[in-house]
Amino acid sequence: MPRGRPWDCRSRLRSRSAVTLPTGRDEAAPTPAEAVSAKVASVQPVGGETAGQPVAIESFLAELVVFREAAAAALDGVADSAGLEQARIEFLGARSGRLKAIQKLLSGLALADRPAGGRHFNEAKGAVTALFAAVADRLAAGGAAGATAAAIDVTLPGEPVRLGHVHPITQTIRRVQEIMARLGFESVDGPEVEDQWHNFEALAIPAEHPARDPLDNFYLAVARGSDPLLLRSQTSTVQIRVMENRQPPLRIVSLGRVYRPDTADATHYPMFHQVEGLLIERGTTMAHLKSVLRQLASSFLGGDVHVRFRPSFFPFTEPSVEFDMEWGGRWIEMGGAGMVDPAVLAAVGYDPEDVSGFAFGLGVERIAARRYGVADIRDFYRNDVRFLRQF
Ligand code: PHE
């Protein structure tokens, strides 16, 4: 037959399935024992033998082989003691068992063949009897499940269970939330997909502001009406969301992901995490801001950490600063902060003459890298367990 032709292959598959699939009439495929019985019948019909008829030693031995195979196959399928007893009667039954029928053939063997025939007969009988005993033991031990359980060597050393743990960034987030909670700041969440109002406008970042440049933001292909949506570029969005829904006094902290199309390097990644803090009360000053930042830094990094402000600019704070922390003899740039701009307070319906507040934002990766001595923030996202296991 030519090989490798697709149409040959298809027709072969079709004809094969026509032969082997069970039909409505022929419901169950023959069990191994039935199949072997059929073989026995075709080899030599033992049932009809009468004692004393001449039997060739070859066909006698063939009977023994078939008997052993059939018994083994039948025992394989035995699931309970009733099945075992049924098989015992069929194969080893003293009156009409298949072994008994073969025994009757012994006398038909030529005299010279009888000793050999008897030896093979006893051997087959012994082997099949032993098989029955083994199955009886297996059933007594609790069936197949018992057999599996018995196969487990409980004296072998166990497999160590490897416990996972929380990612270092998540650990950092939880630690900051804990510290801030002690200072009375409640943790809140905001959405990562934002609209123009919360990411820019309410934060006094007008339409023409360079911070809204499509090259500096991940705008989405979907929009809400005519308002394009984007992945938030800062967690300051949450300040607006909270102030829109609550009245002062407020102390909240929000930690979450932000997105900027930065090229990944040792200190940048297109997705990172920010801590956003916001406090709105009567009579808030920059001194309050500085002491909160100093508390946060000292608790997080350990020891007495100094904080320094450098003048800066953010559209939504006035005055604005960037703040550094001195730790291990070095000043490290940490984030941005300032007094909430009166325009922002007005945008959410607060009275800037009545309340004031401060806000700050800092990168979670930055403080985590500082605390754990990680030189490259990309390591946090490589998911190399050899790295992650250290925390
Ligand atoms: N949102 C600013 C940033 O992402 C940080 C900031 C937060 C500045 C709050 C001032 C007040 O850079």
Side-chain angles (χ1 to χ4, degrees):
M1 190 200 243
R3 293 202 286 144
R5 300 266 173 80
W7 52 86
D8 288 338
C9 180
R10 276 205 310 277
S11 63
R12 243 183 291 138
L13 279 179
R14 240 200 318 278
S15 61
R16 189 189 310 151
S17 62
V19 170
T20 55
L21 282 179
T23 64
R25 275 171 288 123
D26 178 16
E27 290 202 314
T31 65
E34 281 164 353
V36 177
S37 305
K39 205 159 131 203
V40 173
S42 68
V43 171
Q44 192 176 20
V46 271
E49 279 307 320
T50 51
Q53 271 186 324
V55 178
I57 183 76
E58 292 80 2
S59 52
F60 179 79
L61 295 180
E63 286 295 342
L64 286 176
V65 170
V66 170
F67 169 75
R68 287 173 75 155
E69 283 176 14
L75 281 174
D76 244 353
V78 161
D80 53 28
S81 57
L84 182 64
E85 179 58 8
Q86 209 183 319
R88 194 195 60 77
I89 292 168
E90 182 188 344
F91 290 94
L92 301 176
R95 254 181 292 150
S96 53
R98 287 165 65 165
L99 187 67
K100 191 75 193 171
I102 297 171
Q103 192 180 7
K104 284 180 190 154
L105 299 177
L106 261 176
S107 57
L109 288 176
L111 268 178
D113 288 330
R114 279 191 204 164
R119 229 186 316 114
H120 281 97
F121 177 85
N122 285 334
E123 205 188 309
K125 181 180 176 179
V128 172
T129 307
L131 266 183
F132 269 84
V135 174
D137 282 349
R138 160 162 74 79
L139 292 177
T148 326
I152 294 171
D153 184 349
V154 294
T155 63
L156 288 174
E159 281 194 20
V161 178
R162 218 178 253 155
L163 285 184
H165 68 273
V166 171
H167 191 279
I169 292 297
T170 310
Q171 287 184 35
T172 305
I173 287 174
R174 292 191 183 164
R175 179 89 185 105
V176 170
Q177 284 174 328
E178 213 178 276
I179 296 165
M180 294 302 290
R182 276 192 262 130
L183 299 174
F185 288 74
E186 175 198 348
S187 276
V188 295
D189 266 336
E192 287 173 30
V193 172
E194 266 297 3
D195 50 35
Q196 306 285 303
W197 171 255
H198 292 97
N199 202 84
F200 299 124
E201 254 137 64
L203 289 163
I205 306 173
E208 66 281 3
H209 197 282
R212 294 175 71 155
D213 194 306
L215 291 176
D216 291 332
N217 293 283
F218 286 112
Y219 284 97
L220 302 180
V222 290
R224 189 182 293 137
S226 60
D227 185 21
L229 298 175
L230 75 160
L231 296 179
R232 68 179 177 192
S233 61
Q234 51 182 349
T235 44
S236 299
T237 54
V238 185
Q239 293 183 32
I240 304 301
R241 290 191 170 272
V242 171
M243 288 192 285
E244 279 172 338
N245 291 306
R246 296 202 209 166
Q247 289 306 308
L250 274 183
R251 288 186 194 199
I252 56 113
V253 65
S254 186
L255 289 96
R257 295 188 179 120
V258 298
Y259 302 83
R260 293 177 193 178
D262 289 332
T263 304
D265 61 23
T267 53
H268 295 85
Y269 206 74
M271 181 281 302
F272 60 101
H273 296 74
Q274 279 189 333
V275 186
E276 188 84 13
L278 173 72
L279 179 147
I280 307 279
E281 278 168 30
R282 279 203 184 94
T284 314
T285 70
M286 293 285 275
H288 297 125
L289 169 64
K290 198 167 195 175
S291 63
V292 165
L293 289 174
R294 190 170 168 175
Q295 290 268 1
L296 172 60
S298 299
S299 302
F300 184 79
L301 296 171
D304 193 13
V305 180
H306 293 272
V307 171
R308 135 181 120 179
F309 285 166
R310 281 178 291 113
S312 185
F313 174 81
F314 295 99
F316 40 90
T317 45
E318 182 59 39
S320 302
V321 295
E322 288 196 44
F323 59 95
D324 307 331
M325 294 174 180
E326 190 202 15
W327 194 64
R330 280 173 59 205
W331 285 103
I332 299 130
E333 195 182 313
M334 280 303 185
M339 301 305 292
V340 180
D341 194 297
V344 174
L345 296 173
V348 296
Y350 287 3
D351 178 3
E353 298 300 323
D354 182 29
V355 291
S356 57
F358 66 73
F360 66 88
L362 70 155
V364 173
E365 280 77 358
R366 198 176 278 185
I367 57 172
R370 182 62 43 209
R371 175 164 171 190
Y372 296 123
V374 173
D376 189 332
I377 67 161
R378 287 171 295 189
D379 284 334
F380 286 127
Y381 304 115
R382 288 204 175 100
N383 278 343
D384 184 335
V385 288
R386 291 168 304 177
F387 170 80
L388 296 174
R389 225 177 255 148
Q390 304 174 86
F391 303 98

